[in-house]
Amino acid sequence: QVQLVESGGGLVQAGDSLRLSCAASVQTINIWRLGWFRQAPGKERAFVADITSSTGITNYANSVKGRFTISRDNAKNTVYLQMNSLQPEDTAVYYCAARLVPTRPYQAWGQGTQVTVSS
């Protein structure tokens, strides 16, 4: 079973940057796709970005495109989310997730890390 542990959240001001990390308990090269999701208070969990481990191909939600960058380091079994130009609407709990194979949905989730952006 894949274990995921997020870190890097915190309280920042609008316009600041943060980098989230997600360490996997298995080799990320063996995980088909890794993603970041977020859940704001009173809202459903929403897709933020994902990356295919083997190719590095990325996808982003429109709301973060151009501001956030997802990357992975397969040597460290870690996926990152670089968040720039943060806005109050980015405030949420951010979750890392693993999709092991293309035929299955996201199966493993981290515990989440809080990101709070003040105006």
Side-chain angles (χ1 to χ4, degrees):
Q1 186 175 357
V2 178
Q3 305 290 329
L4 302 170
V5 179
E6 303 99 333
S7 60
L11 172 63
V12 297
Q13 293 186 332
D16 286 350
S17 298
L18 273 178
R19 188 177 80 157
L20 304 182
S21 300
C22 173
S25 61
V26 301
Q27 292 183 318
T28 51
I29 194 64
N30 293 324
I31 299 173
W32 178 59
R33 188 169 285 177
L34 289 154
W36 287 96
F37 293 74
R38 66 186 182 185
Q39 187 166 19
K43 295 188 177 181
E44 295 187 350
R45 189 175 299 184
F47 169 78
V48 174
D50 65 17
I51 185 167
T52 302
S53 294
S54 59
T55 64
I57 294 174
T58 59
N59 298 289
Y60 295 93
N62 288 335
S63 58
V64 306
K65 204 171 290 185
R67 300 188 298 124
F68 291 11
T69 303
I70 188 172
S71 62
R72 87 277 189 245
D73 185 337
N74 289 333
K76 296 183 178 179
N77 299 324
T78 300
V79 63
Y80 303 98
L81 185 68
Q82 177 66 43
M83 306 185 293
N84 298 330
S85 301
L86 283 162
Q87 299 302 314
E89 53 266 33
D90 295 316
T91 295
V93 177
Y94 284 72
Y95 298 91
C96 176
R99 190 173 174 183
L100 301 182
V101 294
T103 54
R104 299 290 300 275
Y106 281 94
Q107 299 163 272
W109 295 83
Q111 82 287 351
T113 186
Q114 177 71 48
V115 173
T116 303
V117 185
S118 63
S119 57

